[in-house]
Amino acid sequence: MTTKESPQAVDAGMPSFTELCQNWHRAAENLDRFNRMLTTDAKIAQTPKEVVWTLNKAKLYHYVPVVPEQDRKPVPLFMVFAIMNRPHVLDLRPGHSFVEYMLRHGYELYLLDWGEPGPEDKNMCFDDYVLEYLPRAIRKFKSVSGAQEFSMLGWCLGALISTMYAALRPDDGLKNLLLLTAPLDFSDQEAGGFTRWSSNPAFNANTIVEKLGNVPGEMIDTGAKMLKPIENYFGSYSMLWDKIENPGTVEAWHAMNTWVRDIIPMAGGAYKQLINEFYKENKLMKGTMQLRGETVDLKKLKANLLNVIAEADHITPPCQSEAVMDAVGSEDKEVLRVRGGHIGIMAGRGAEKNTWPHIEAWLAERSGT
Amino acid sequence: MSQSKDNQTFDPFDPTGMLKQMRDSNMESWSKIMTDFVNTEAYAESTGAMLDAWLTTSGPFRKAMESALAQAMAQLNMPTRDDITRLAERLTNIEMRLDDLDARLSEPSKSDNTQPTN
């Protein structure tokens, strides 16, 4: 096959044998690196911490402070993550970690990791998370830290759990409540893929739980990815290939992918409750949500509130987080809208410039004695 | 690695170049089409129905398998999954009792606050 050389090719000249070899070598290296990124785990969640409490699969971590005691904020921060993911995204990698950032700013940090539910936990529901596990973890946290007042940060379903706890136990010392991408209001049944799917009569959460017990992580992961199939199944990998020679981008992608791949099941009872009582019936906002016979009245939530909303969130659309501002009894409340997605607002490239400083500034004002 | 070329010639060092060009020109529209598609009522209904059908049809097989395994384990004098699960539930209950005891022991007792007088 003969090809007519274009003028540009003549200008550029034919590559030498050495250049050819170097190019092929580079291509092979890139392919190898790409493969490693997909099949290996990055080192994530490396900030030093100690376990101070365990119950069943749940663990409470205390991060080792990095500033002298006299420079630390008197009000510690207690972090609650979602129940169907690992919480490592809060401490993704050295140099890009919310945990590291907050430690540097003098906060005492505690993190509640719900752990991976086993078959014996299939009946665990929000009643247990909110009124059994969380109060016990907080009891221990207060005992260890010696603090009577504390701040709590809840992300995604962790925010839902934190909100219900704050409403049910308003006098437990909770001073500041930070909600990140909180799915609380499901009145708009057209907003977001999850709401559309779960509100369809053909979707039966009871059958899923009855047949499977805990909902497999793969099912939840697939559901989340199918909300944006092209980006998640194609765009993410093609972006990695494009930037394969950029160590910073590759490292960031690898860390995030490690966290994304580490999927865990969701307790069946909680899943059933989430779909039926929250997504379908919107009980929390209607004021009819009951946990162990106690009605969750959001008006009783008195803590200072910062509600962080991701404007491009396809998992928790902004409308699911907005209405809580009028429902709570807090006098000091603020909404922070951030450009980005469900995870990106806290773990993306812009988080360190946009989200974290705002959260820290808001908290610093309210973390004095 | 990305060596964007204005011309459409095949570059042996960037075999994905053509794919990239296709992607760059079509990705946004693909994404929008797919996102709109998964948000349709028809998609929600068909997914729900498929999931329900799969769970319903696979249920009896799963039950038969579990029952056969339970019998086999019993024959071998080995605990079944249910036995382990029940044991784990009991352990969790014990853990909770211990947690309460630990909390009680950790509380500073009232007598600690009263200083002995000489």
Side-chain angles (χ1 to χ4, degrees):
Chain A
M1 188 176 123
T2 56
T3 52
K4 210 173 181 182
E5 279 185 353
S6 66
Q8 288 132 314
V10 173
D11 289 344
M14 283 295 289
S16 67
F17 179 70
T18 315
E19 281 172 333
L20 269 174
C21 290
Q22 279 173 344
N23 284 337
W24 279 113
H25 182 67
R26 206 177 71 187
E29 268 185 343
N30 287 342
L31 202 60
D32 179 54
R33 195 177 301 136
F34 186 77
N35 185 45
R36 261 187 296 117
M37 291 306 110
L38 298 187
T39 54
T40 62
D41 286 343
K43 282 188 174 175
I44 57 172
Q46 293 186 79
T47 306
K49 57 186 181 288
E50 53 178 348
V51 178
V52 294
W53 172 88
T54 66
L55 178 62
N56 193 0
K57 319 294 184 302
K59 285 191 178 87
L60 178 63
Y61 293 107
H62 173 228
Y63 286 94
V64 178
V66 297
V67 300
E69 197 166 349
Q70 64 271 16
D71 297 335
R72 286 182 220 153
K73 306 277 192 302
V75 179
L77 176 60
F78 186 98
M79 299 186 291
V80 183
F81 196 64
I83 54 177
M84 72 295 199
N85 286 105
R86 305 269 185 203
H88 309 322
V89 71
L90 286 159
D91 180 25
L92 210 50
R93 60 197 168 94
H96 189 78
S97 154
F98 176 71
V99 163
E100 224 178 47
Y101 181 88
M102 295 303 271
L103 285 172
R104 276 204 312 271
H105 282 83
Y107 289 87
E108 281 276 1
L109 279 189
Y110 291 79
L111 171 68
L112 179 57
D113 181 351
W114 298 108
E116 185 175 339
E120 68 276 12
D121 303 313
K122 69 176 183 198
N123 295 320
M124 265 183 78
C125 51
F126 283 97
D127 304 52
D128 302 302
Y129 288 117
V130 177
L131 293 176
E132 194 75 70
Y133 283 71
L134 191 51
R136 286 170 183 277
I138 287 171
R139 180 173 68 185
K140 186 66 184 182
F141 146 76
K142 282 179 168 178
S143 155
V144 171
S145 68
Q148 286 311 302
E149 285 187 318
F150 63 98
S151 305
M152 185 150 62
L153 178 149
W155 191 351
C156 187
L157 288 187
L160 175 61
I161 290 168
S162 306
T163 303
M164 291 196 284
Y165 174 83
L168 287 167
R169 300 287 179 267
D171 304 315
D172 206 19
L174 178 62
K175 190 179 182 188
N176 308 306
L177 178 64
L178 291 111
L179 303 179
L180 306 176
T181 66
L184 304 170
D185 176 22
F186 303 93
S187 51
D188 185 353
Q189 293 284 295
E190 298 289 298
F194 279 151
T195 318
R196 280 169 180 270
W197 297 348
S198 58
S199 62
N200 193 287
F203 185 84
N204 193 335
N206 296 354
T207 308
I208 295 170
V209 172
E210 184 195 323
K211 304 289 183 192
L212 300 177
N214 291 329
V215 181
E218 291 80 1
M219 192 184 275
I220 294 165
D221 183 55
T222 304
K225 282 181 174 165
M226 281 306 289
L227 291 171
K228 282 194 167 183
I230 296 295
E231 283 88 340
N232 289 315
Y233 288 111
F234 181 71
S236 170
Y237 302 103
S238 63
M239 189 280 286
L240 172 66
W241 181 250
D242 278 356
K243 312 269 185 185
I244 198 72
E245 289 181 355
N246 179 334
T249 308
V250 167
E251 194 187 326
W253 192 96
H254 194 201
M256 182 58 83
N257 192 54
T258 301
W259 175 74
V260 167
R261 287 193 325 149
D262 192 4
I263 48 179
I264 57 173
M266 184 172 173
Y271 181 79
K272 206 158 61 171
Q273 214 173 7
L274 179 70
I275 300 298
N276 294 339
E277 297 187 35
F278 291 99
Y279 272 91
K280 287 189 177 181
E281 297 175 44
N282 195 25
K283 281 187 173 182
L284 182 65
M285 293 310 287
K286 285 179 182 169
T288 56
M289 186 69 208
Q290 287 203 327
L291 298 179
R292 293 191 177 174
E294 290 184 67
T295 303
V296 184
D297 181 2
L298 292 175
K299 276 277 171 270
K300 288 184 179 168
L301 194 158
K302 301 285 185 221
N304 305 322
L305 178 67
L306 177 66
N307 187 6
V308 183
I309 295 173
E311 292 196 320
D313 195 338
H314 61 289
I315 291 172
T316 305
C319 65
Q320 291 182 357
S321 306
E322 286 160 350
V324 74
M325 300 309 285
D326 299 324
V328 296
S330 310
E331 285 175 15
D332 176 357
K333 50 191 174 185
E334 186 184 320
V335 174
L336 169 64
R337 292 176 186 278
V338 186
R339 282 175 61 189
H342 192 71
I343 299 298
I345 59 156
M346 283 295 279
R349 275 169 302 176
E352 203 158 353
K353 287 195 185 85
N354 305 323
T355 322
W356 302 351
H358 195 110
I359 287 176
E360 196 282 317
W362 184 88
L363 209 49
E365 273 178 38
R366 296 158 179 84
S367 290
T369 40
Chain B
M1 183 75 200
S2 174
Q3 301 167 6
S4 65
K5 301 240 181 289
D6 292 336
N7 54 16
Q8 292 282 322
T9 54
F10 176 73
D11 179 355
F13 307 116
D14 188 11
T16 56
M18 294 287 250
L19 282 173
K20 274 188 217 167
Q21 279 169 357
M22 276 170 57
R23 180 202 64 192
D24 293 340
S25 54
N26 298 316
M27 180 82 127
E28 240 173 89
S29 52
W30 289 352
S31 173
K32 196 183 175 325
I33 289 165
M34 282 305 291
T35 305
D36 289 346
F37 168 68
V38 298
N39 273 292
T40 57
E41 207 60 41
Y43 178 85
E45 192 162 346
S46 61
T47 309
M50 276 196 299
L51 189 61
D52 210 46
W54 169 65
L55 289 168
T56 308
T57 51
S58 64
F61 294 106
R62 203 179 299 116
K63 271 239 172 328
M65 176 81 82
E66 278 169 15
S67 152
L69 273 174
Q71 280 177 23
M73 297 303 263
Q75 293 293 323
L76 294 166
N77 276 337
M78 299 275 282
T80 62
R81 184 192 178 99
D82 279 353
D83 295 332
I84 304 282
T85 300
R86 276 196 293 271
L87 199 59
E89 282 169 0
R90 290 178 65 186
L91 276 173
T92 303
N93 288 334
I94 293 169
E95 262 192 292
M96 286 189 178
R97 302 282 285 275
L98 284 172
D99 188 55
D100 288 336
L101 279 173
D102 176 54
R104 248 180 255 175
L105 290 169
S106 302
E107 272 177 23
S109 63
K110 289 189 174 72
S111 57
D112 290 349
N113 300 333
T114 54
Q115 294 296 319
T117 50
N118 295 324

